[in-house]
Amino acid sequence: MRAITTFLGSALLALTLTSCDTEIVIGDGYAGPTLNEALASNELWYVDLNSTQGNPDVPFMTRAFTLSFDFGTLYANNNLVGVGSAGAGLGIDIGSYDAVQDNLLIHHDIDGLHEFEVIVRTFNRLELRDLFNNTRYFLDGYNRDNFNYDQLFFDNIQYFLQEYRAWEKIYTSNVGAMNGFDQENYLRFFPGNNQDIFESSKDRNGLNEGSIFWDFVGVYQVQDQAPGSINKQLTLGYDFIGNDFFDLYILDDRTIELYHLDSGTTYRFKGRGFMQLKTSQSVNSSKNRLLDFKRALKNKNITG
């Protein structure tokens, strides 16, 4: 993540070119760019899952925040830890691709071969139609110097929390009233079927993340402290004692600060066991944008 002081506050992913209704299909006789030229016209392609039509079941598409097509190598920003700096902003190498007329063949290192028909909607918007199940994905194009990595990070803090196997408490302030959360030494976060899940542990500090006994499981939510704010509020749902509310601050890519609103106590946690995401496997311990997409469809009563 870039330094918080570089945050521009501008709306993420605002299109700078006027949209048009004309569909330019590569290979239909129109004297436009080749597919390779269209893919290379932008350094980053943001995966706009909210516009997806059909069942989005291609793992690397539902995991990636951005894709980049670089002379046959496919890169992706799957993680928020290090976003903007990993791979000089392009992310990690996840496979290769071939462009044949209007067809894009992607060879993902883990997920295998997937084939898409590409339609150029505008100079910075592509539509990829999955030839296996007809699902349509939409990509918005940017260059690294006009892509707001900070906004991407702060809009998706819930995924950032899921990129470590555990968060270990490293600091408790002397200021603040005693409360039950004082005893919690570890947290971890992962997606659930209907709500995001957290677990907590009272185990002693210094344990390997695989040795921690998790005492409690509940649901969690991250919201803006104020609309559009980079400052967040974290709610941990403890069924037997009610909810705990915290102001959540990101100090760096491995450290978070929680200010307990009821007691006035400040805690700091350090991330343990970073998970670099390449595919949608291990969904119990890492971000899953597909789950959130399906929840959004359900909430909107959209079927299919």
Side-chain angles (χ1 to χ4, degrees), residues 103-169:
N103 283 3
L104 174 66
L105 283 74
I106 291 179
H107 308 262
H108 190 271
D109 290 342
I110 298 175
D111 297 334
L113 178 64
H114 292 267
E115 188 173 0
F116 304 87
E117 177 192 20
V118 180
I119 299 173
V120 180
R121 292 292 187 178
T122 68
F123 290 108
N124 60 355
R125 188 162 175 88
L126 302 178
E127 177 182 329
L128 274 61
R129 183 175 69 86
D130 185 346
L131 295 182
F132 176 74
N133 65 5
N134 207 37
T135 298
R136 296 173 183 264
Y137 300 91
F138 294 85
L139 310 181
D140 292 324
Y142 295 85
N143 289 319
R144 283 173 285 186
D145 60 358
N146 69 359
F147 187 80
N148 197 329
Y149 292 97
D150 290 323
Q151 187 74 52
L152 176 67
F153 181 91
F154 286 108
D155 281 350
N156 294 278
I157 294 295
Q158 71 272 26
Y159 299 132
F160 167 72
L161 296 176
Q162 297 171 15
E163 292 181 5
Y164 288 97
R165 299 187 189 279
W167 291 89
E168 181 179 11
K169 185 190 290 180

Side-chain angles (χ1 to χ4, degrees), residues 74-263:
L74 180 64
Y75 294 89
N77 275 303
N78 296 331
N79 284 92
L80 291 169
V81 173
V83 69
S85 59
L90 300 184
I92 62 172
D93 176 352
I94 63 168
S96 61
Y97 69 93
D98 295 298
V100 181
Q101 295 184 341
D102 61 344
N103 283 3
L104 174 66
L105 283 74
I106 291 179
H107 308 262
H108 190 271
D109 290 342
I110 298 175
D111 297 334
L113 178 64
H114 292 267
E115 188 173 0
F116 304 87
E117 177 192 20
V118 180
I119 299 173
V120 180
R121 292 292 187 178
T122 68
F123 290 108
N124 60 355
R125 188 162 175 88
L126 302 178
E127 177 182 329
L128 274 61
R129 183 175 69 86
D130 185 346
L131 295 182
F132 176 74
N133 65 5
N134 207 37
T135 298
R136 296 173 183 264
Y137 300 91
F138 294 85
L139 310 181
D140 292 324
Y142 295 85
N143 289 319
R144 283 173 285 186
D145 60 358
N146 69 359
F147 187 80
N148 197 329
Y149 292 97
D150 290 323
Q151 187 74 52
L152 176 67
F153 181 91
F154 286 108
D155 281 350
N156 294 278
I157 294 295
Q158 71 272 26
Y159 299 132
F160 167 72
L161 296 176
Q162 297 171 15
E163 292 181 5
Y164 288 97
R165 299 187 189 279
W167 291 89
E168 181 179 11
K169 185 190 290 180
I170 59 172
Y171 169 80
T172 301
S173 68
N174 292 324
V175 177
M178 294 181 61
N179 67 93
F181 193 77
D182 288 340
Q183 306 303 314
E184 303 286 19
N185 287 325
Y186 296 95
L187 296 171
R188 69 175 176 181
F189 303 87
F190 48 92
N193 289 327
N194 295 308
Q195 293 178 287
D196 290 324
I197 303 299
F198 84 96
E199 291 183 336
S200 63
S201 173
K202 296 178 172 63
D203 279 0
R204 62 177 176 84
N205 290 96
L207 295 179
N208 180 284
E209 56 267 17
S211 302
I212 299 169
F213 176 77
W214 299 98
D215 304 291
F216 179 81
V217 59
V219 298
Y220 82 95
Q221 186 176 28
V222 177
Q223 296 175 300
D224 293 347
Q225 288 184 19
S229 172
I230 65 172
N231 296 324
K232 307 297 178 179
Q233 185 178 83
L234 172 66
T235 303
L236 301 181
Y238 287 91
D239 291 340
F240 56 93
I241 59 174
N243 293 338
D244 263 338
F245 300 96
F246 304 85
D247 284 341
L248 167 64
Y249 302 96
I250 311 301
L251 302 187
D252 58 41
D253 271 351
R254 262 190 85 190
T255 313
I256 61 174
E257 184 172 277
L258 303 180
Y259 175 76
H260 192 252
L261 294 176
D262 287 340
S263 71

Side-chain angles (χ1 to χ4, degrees), residues 19-25 30 119-122:
S19 299
C20 60
D21 295 330
T22 304
E23 293 185 8
I24 304 171
V25 180
Y30 180 85
I119 299 173
V120 180
R121 292 292 187 178
T122 68

